[in-house]
Amino acid sequence: MEGDFFKKISRKNEKGYLLLFILFYALHIIGMTYSENTKAAKIDIILKIPFIIMPFLFSLSGDYLREKKNKILLSFVAGNLLASVICLIAATVRSFSVVNGTWVFNAELMDHNYSFWQMLANGGNNFMYEPLSIFHHSGYFSVYIVISVLLLLDMLVHKEIGKSMHTKVLYILLILFFCIMVYLLFARTGLIALFIVLLGYSIYVIFKSKIKIYTLGLLIIITIAGVVIIGHNNRIKNSFNEIKKIIYNSNKRVDSDNRLFIWFNSLEIIKNNLFTGVGTGDNKNKLLEIYKEKKMEKAEKARLNVHNQFLETTIQLGLPGLLVLLAIFILPFIRAVKNRNILLMCFLIVNGMFFFFESCLNTQAGVVFFSFFYSLLVFIPKYEKTENYFSK
């Protein structure tokens, strides 16, 4: 803490974002007062403490942390690299077994005898999806790695790392390694987010500098590769099939743990509690009631949440909670567009997608990650002045 509290807190932009976080947390406290499940409400309030701590910490320590910012960001990248290597080592160890006194390597988990390409499309081995991700849910880990790719790209583009050719090659190889890890983690959100980040940064580089053949070629390669890889992934294909099933065959909706079906049914809870929500701790109980009523046995047995943070917040806190959460994303995004801050723009887009497909703020892995990096990138921006890249 550097002091000068009132001077720093009076900054127009920072004060607005800080108030949004305070208001979001306050709504959860208010929601606890009319929640029937007070135990769950208290747990939720404790879980979201970083929403108060992180914005205050970064807004009041701006000048000091600005000097350390790249080290902080690179330490996150290094942590993900170490975690990735450990996951791969663990998968390798699990794939070895002794058969008739001989060491045998077999990574398959379901004896499907997949070919290499079938394995890449379906998973089902120690080196893909949940078996690979031993520290976090694969969806969370994949988003962490996508943000690591985003940080490396931003530092390379702005020449903050990789000043020699050897270090540039090293960081580019690290980006490629992370891209492979995202695919192996097999999370739909991570794959789509990675494609958006790579595509977005390619377009940004084209506008930032004079259009060159290699930048256009890179854009074309990323676009084609992204479409082919995402189209080859059976988890994404299955998602489209689930959408068709819900739209065209209503008889198959019963007993489904389909995410879209859960979203549609959660709207009934929202409609009945539009302005106040059900309370901070009652969202899971209300969902279980809906699952039981609609005979969604798989969802009820697994006690699934909504898998959409925007809907989850609306169920808990009603329309006021949703509006504050949307403002937390939209207002800094507008500022980032004005300042041509591609790093903040991509961070908000990736996390907006993440929030759309996961109830991220129900877990410590989501709350701490989002509040930490949001506060770091918003309260300690790298680019204070508007850069006229798009006018060149």
Side-chain angles (χ1 to χ4, degrees), residues 148-369:
S148 295
V149 171
L150 174 61
L151 296 175
L152 289 171
L153 284 172
D154 189 75
M155 291 180 186
L156 280 171
V157 168
H158 291 94
K159 299 179 180 178
E160 295 172 348
I161 57 173
K163 294 183 179 180
S164 70
M165 183 56 66
H166 290 93
T167 52
K168 283 181 181 177
V169 171
L170 180 64
Y171 282 116
I172 291 170
L173 289 175
L174 180 55
I175 289 171
L176 291 174
F177 170 75
F178 278 147
C179 290
I180 294 169
M181 275 299 297
V182 170
Y183 188 85
L184 293 178
L185 287 167
F186 226 54
R188 289 164 290 196
T189 304
L191 281 170
I192 298 171
L194 179 64
F195 176 62
I196 290 172
V197 165
L198 294 176
L199 191 66
Y201 249 92
S202 299
I203 296 171
Y204 172 73
V205 169
I206 288 174
F207 279 104
K208 181 179 181 294
S209 57
K210 293 180 181 179
I211 296 177
K212 299 176 181 178
I213 296 297
Y214 76 87
T215 54
L216 285 174
L218 182 64
L219 179 62
I220 293 169
I221 291 170
I222 289 172
T223 303
I224 295 174
V227 171
V228 171
I229 290 171
I230 290 174
H232 185 71
N233 186 283
N234 272 355
R235 290 201 72 217
I236 294 177
K237 287 182 182 178
N238 290 338
S239 296
F240 285 112
N241 291 333
E242 288 173 356
I243 294 171
K244 291 179 182 178
K245 183 175 70 175
I246 284 182
I247 294 173
Y248 297 113
N249 194 342
S250 60
N251 293 329
K252 291 187 178 180
R253 295 183 184 182
V254 177
D255 281 347
S256 175
D257 58 353
N258 184 288
R259 193 168 300 188
L260 285 173
F261 190 33
I262 293 174
W263 291 356
F264 292 146
N265 283 287
S266 70
L267 295 177
E268 292 186 22
I269 305 173
I270 293 172
K271 184 173 67 174
N272 296 329
N273 304 272
L274 184 60
F275 295 104
T276 62
V278 300
T280 302
D282 290 356
N283 47 315
K284 181 60 71 69
N285 291 344
K286 295 296 181 182
L287 282 169
L288 290 175
E289 289 175 10
I290 286 287
Y291 297 157
K292 189 172 184 179
E293 179 186 335
K294 302 290 183 179
K295 297 181 180 179
M296 299 168 62
E297 295 177 4
K298 292 181 182 178
E300 184 182 5
K301 184 178 180 180
R303 297 179 61 84
L304 295 178
N305 57 36
V306 184
H307 283 84
N308 181 310
Q309 187 57 55
F310 299 107
L311 291 176
E312 193 90 45
T313 296
T314 311
I315 291 172
Q316 280 186 313
L317 308 175
L319 194 58
L322 175 63
L323 292 175
V324 173
L325 184 58
L326 289 174
I328 286 173
F329 277 90
I330 294 171
L331 295 181
F333 186 81
I334 294 172
R335 174 185 170 187
V337 171
K338 289 180 179 178
N339 290 341
R340 307 294 191 259
N341 188 340
I342 187 70
L343 174 61
L344 181 55
M345 278 190 271
C346 286
F347 173 81
L348 292 169
I349 290 171
V350 169
N351 278 275
M353 281 184 55
F354 194 28
F355 276 41
F356 197 79
F357 292 107
E358 294 289 345
S359 295
C360 308
L361 303 185
N362 285 359
T363 65
Q364 190 178 53
V367 171
V368 175
F369 166 73

Side-chain angles (χ1 to χ4, degrees), residues 98-109:
V98 178
V99 179
N100 297 325
T102 304
W103 284 99
V104 176
F105 181 85
N106 183 10
E108 283 203 42
L109 296 173

